[in-house]
Amino acid sequence: MSTSYIFSDAQNIKELERLQAIEQIFDPKTRQRILTTGITNKWQCLEVGAGAGSIAQWLATIVGESGKVVAVDIDTRFLANVQSSNLEVLQADVRHLALENQSFDLIHVRYLLIHILDFEVALSKMLDLLKPGGWIVIEEPDFSAAKAVVGDNRMCQSFNQVNLAIEQMFADKGMDYALGRKLPEIFQKYDWQKLSLENDTPISAGGSGIAKMMKMSTMQLAQKYIATGKATQSDIENFYLFADDSNSSAIYYATVGVIAQKSDVISNPVALV
């Protein structure tokens, strides 16, 4: 399957470490968002872009044996040990899922749509799969919020150059590095029974979980960043130092969360631009 996922060529061990770092940092807030839907046993859930499987496994414990969780990813190499009698793993592209429409009570997605050029196709597919009255929880990053706050001037400048490289890398692929902040506008084009929006923009110190995770990402993507012409090898090395320095602080990116309940009859959305 073709993919524009920027980590598709990452080494197994390093990519697993990065995914597990994301789980450790962001799972608590993800679970809070999902719990606001009223999820209970017997629910049918779809976890899209399941990664290393922590949320899929947690969902399986919540819905119990009378419920079911389907975990979907284009790369299931880190889901081999995710086993439960009520959890099914599918290697597939969400845009082409061969599943029955209106069959899920809950669909969750985290940090996936930003990697899909025609993300509106994926979103429309997920809405088709959602039952009337079902819930969708989507969390996407907004890298335009990134900014060095405190630190050595030279390292702050390199931090900002690396973020310019992130922007350019996504732009070169025809994708939007600030997709998260577009979610409110996108979702307001649909008819929802309930819709709530959240924006998490933490200022994180060097050595924190987010700083370490972003250093991991930069180590894997360094050559792609340099190839944009926006960051040099020196900028990359300074970014590492900045992320390790407990006296530094920065906004590495914001996370925009959407929690929406599908109406009994959903209208056709306005064409997305």
Side-chain angles (χ1 to χ4, degrees), residues 112-264:
L112 174 74
L113 296 183
I114 193 172
H115 296 284
I116 301 177
L117 180 60
D118 54 347
F119 68 88
E120 66 270 22
V121 174
L123 180 57
S124 293
K125 178 63 176 178
M126 287 186 282
L127 296 183
D128 287 342
L129 293 170
L130 199 61
K131 294 178 181 179
W135 292 85
I136 188 165
V137 178
I138 293 186
E139 300 162 301
E140 292 293 329
D142 171 15
F143 286 101
S144 70
K147 181 182 180 180
V149 177
V150 175
D152 173 84
N153 286 339
R154 180 170 51 88
M155 288 193 290
C156 286
Q157 183 177 2
S158 290
F159 177 95
N160 293 329
Q161 287 302 125
V162 168
N163 280 286
L164 288 175
I166 293 173
E167 178 182 11
Q168 190 63 53
M169 179 188 65
F170 277 101
D172 289 345
K173 291 176 172 288
M175 298 182 294
D176 188 350
Y177 88 137
L179 179 63
R181 72 178 182 183
K182 311 289 178 58
L183 289 183
E185 178 183 1
I186 292 167
F187 268 73
Q188 286 170 3
K189 298 176 187 295
Y190 293 84
D191 183 22
W192 303 101
Q193 289 183 198
K194 295 180 181 178
L195 174 66
S196 62
L197 305 166
E198 299 178 351
N199 187 354
D200 295 335
T201 314
I203 298 176
S204 303
S208 65
I210 291 179
K212 291 178 180 178
M213 183 273 293
M214 286 300 292
K215 180 182 177 181
M216 292 180 192
S217 295
T218 303
M219 292 176 72
Q220 291 190 42
L221 300 174
Q223 294 309 309
K224 293 181 180 180
Y225 292 167
I226 292 171
T228 67
K230 299 294 185 180
T232 65
Q233 182 63 45
S234 178
D235 289 325
I236 298 296
E237 292 170 0
N238 285 337
F239 186 95
Y240 299 158
L241 294 174
F242 184 91
D244 288 337
D245 184 359
S246 61
N247 293 317
S248 75
S249 62
I251 298 169
Y252 285 84
Y253 63 85
T255 298
V256 177
V258 177
I259 307 166
Q261 185 180 27
K262 185 176 179 179
S263 297
D264 291 338

Side-chain angles (χ1 to χ4, degrees), residues 52-65:
S54 64
I55 291 297
Q57 290 178 297
W58 175 76
L59 287 171
T61 65
I62 297 296
V63 302
E65 291 300 319

Side-chain angles (χ1 to χ4, degrees), residues 80-101:
N81 295 322
V82 176
Q83 297 179 351
S84 177
S85 60
N86 63 343
L87 196 162
E88 178 184 3
V89 174
L90 293 179
Q91 183 173 4
D93 185 323
V94 64
R95 293 167 292 185
H96 311 297
L97 272 181
L99 296 174
E100 183 179 355
N101 284 347

